[in-house]
Amino acid sequence: MTNRVCEILNIEKPIIQGPMAWISTAPLVAAVSNAGGLGVLGVGFAPLEFVVSQIEETKRLTSKPYGINTVMIPELLDPTTEIIQRMHPPVIYADTLANLDPELCEKYFKLWHDAGCKVIVKVSFISDAVIADQTGADIVIVKGWEGGGHTTIEATTVLVPQAVDAIETPVVASGGIADGRGMAAAIALGAEAIEMGTVFMAAEETLVHPNVKEAVVNAGDMETVITGYYSGEPCRQLKNNLSDSLIETETQNAPVEVTEKIKALAESSLKKAMQDGDMENGAVMAGQIVPLVKEVKPSLDIIDTTILECKERLEQIQKFVF
């Protein structure tokens, strides 16, 4: 399945593992890269010493390309770039939710390219996809609202074809994809690769509390919810006591008070789930596709099964008679 994404990233299979805090650590990232995809460390807001240690551990576990994520926030970019220039990870994955700054993009994309890195940018708005394309991104991921974690209000099926029409850079589809059927749909929409996150939460190599994997594989339909609309940072997660409290806080407080109250409720919520196994007061940021994740499997099986099923679906489409 060689294509532009595989050629740019020097990977064998057009599947990117989405970076997730407390989840996408070196063992998972290396397993995905060793399986032929692109593993990405979820270290966007992590302490710098943790970023360094995770890069070192990933390099120990794989000789294949991997990525680290950062967030397009000015105060994070300089210290992250110092690590990039010193340690030369093959791929930089720039996360943004909205309002990409062209000047920041031009400055840091050049610095990262000069360090020998490829640059992936994840966006949720077509205007940001255009900015990423025009300022030198090698690959643009467009994420629909179906995905877990930070999200917006447009679907992957809406965003992908718009992005393909708007930019020259290869487009990767993200949000609501967990198997080969979703991959085939993404390709039909014009994407050249997919990103998956939720399905890798249940990968064997993912070092999270067993309760997290159990919650993911047992989740059913309509069991995710979006919180944070009033704070300006909407986020999709599994329903639990935490999400109920967040929504109640949003609906019962004036907008000016919401952000601080939500911050207090959500502080350390990821750690509560991922490390401590608290499924009621911790955040499990799974996407709408979580009901399709039925078992814990090795990353290699997740990737190869997805590609095999995708090929089968595309062959069936070719035989379809209109």
Side-chain angles (χ1 to χ4, degrees):
M1 298 186 74
T2 300
N3 59 18
R4 289 195 295 170
V5 171
C6 291
E7 292 169 356
I8 290 168
L9 299 177
N10 193 28
I11 60 177
E12 301 164 26
K13 303 164 187 175
I15 293 179
I16 296 172
Q17 162 254 306
M20 299 167 284
W22 294 98
I23 299 169
S24 306
T25 54
L28 172 63
V29 171
V32 171
S33 291
N34 285 333
L38 182 76
V40 184
L41 290 167
V43 292
F45 290 101
L48 296 181
E49 59 271 20
F50 181 77
V51 179
V52 171
S53 68
Q54 286 297 298
I55 292 174
E56 291 174 341
E57 180 67 4
T58 302
K59 291 168 71 173
R60 187 183 71 81
L61 294 172
T62 186
S63 60
K64 300 290 185 67
Y66 66 93
I68 71 167
N69 83 319
T70 187
V71 183
M72 295 301 290
I73 299 174
E75 57 266 29
L76 295 176
L77 292 173
D78 280 337
T80 303
T81 298
E82 188 277 327
I83 292 175
I84 290 166
Q85 292 172 326
R86 177 158 50 93
M87 304 191 74
H88 304 283
V91 178
I92 309 305
Y93 181 116
D95 255 319
T96 181
L97 187 62
N99 301 318
L100 264 182
D101 183 333
E103 292 185 2
L104 277 184
C105 292
E106 288 178 353
K107 175 183 177 180
Y108 288 99
F109 293 178
K110 183 180 187 304
L111 290 173
W112 300 340
H113 281 138
D114 288 347
C117 308
K118 299 298 183 182
V119 177
I120 296 175
V121 181
K122 177 189 274 185
V123 303
S124 294
F125 294 87
I126 299 303
S127 57
D128 287 336
V130 171
I131 291 171
D133 175 60
Q134 293 176 343
T135 53
D138 297 294
I139 291 168
V140 173
I141 298 175
V142 290
K143 178 183 177 181
W145 86 307
E146 302 97 322
H150 291 295
T151 187
T152 54
I153 56 174
E154 284 196 318
T156 304
T157 52
V158 173
L159 288 169
V160 171
Q162 287 187 82
V164 170
D165 288 348
I167 67 176
E168 296 297 324
T169 304
V171 172
V172 176
S174 176
I177 303 171
D179 59 21
R181 294 170 293 182
M183 186 176 191
I187 291 172
L189 292 168
E192 297 185 44
I194 60 168
E195 176 185 69
M196 298 192 294
T198 301
V199 67
F200 286 113
M201 294 175 73
E204 281 187 0
E205 302 86 356
T206 303
L207 299 183
V208 296
H209 196 283
N211 289 357
V212 175
K213 296 184 182 183
E214 182 179 358
V216 168
V217 299
N218 289 327
D221 188 33
M222 302 298 290
E223 291 189 16
T224 68
V225 64
I226 295 180
T227 64
Y229 274 126
Y230 292 98
S231 70
E233 295 184 358
C235 186
R236 185 181 295 282
Q237 62 188 85
L238 291 182
K239 291 180 181 178
N240 60 7
N241 286 345
L242 172 66
S243 67
D244 290 344
S245 296
L246 290 169
I247 292 172
E248 182 179 3
T249 298
E250 291 184 76
T251 56
Q252 293 185 359
N253 290 272
V256 71
E257 301 173 331
V258 165
T259 300
E260 287 303 316
K261 289 181 178 290
I262 284 183
K263 182 178 179 181
L265 281 170
E267 187 173 2
S268 301
S269 61
L270 274 173
K271 180 180 181 298
K272 287 178 183 177
M274 300 305 150
Q275 298 295 303
D276 302 336
D278 186 344
M279 293 296 99
E280 286 302 324
N281 303 298
V284 181
M285 295 184 181
Q288 281 184 319
I289 207 71
V290 68
L292 294 184
V293 183
K294 298 296 188 184
E295 59 181 317
V296 175
K297 298 192 296 186
S299 296
L300 178 62
D301 287 355
I302 292 171
I303 289 172
D304 284 353
T305 300
T306 297
I307 289 177
L308 177 61
E309 186 177 27
C310 176
K311 288 181 177 180
E312 292 173 347
R313 293 287 168 164
L314 292 175
E315 289 174 357
Q316 290 172 0
I317 291 171
Q318 287 180 326
K319 298 175 182 177
F320 192 84
V321 178
F322 289 92

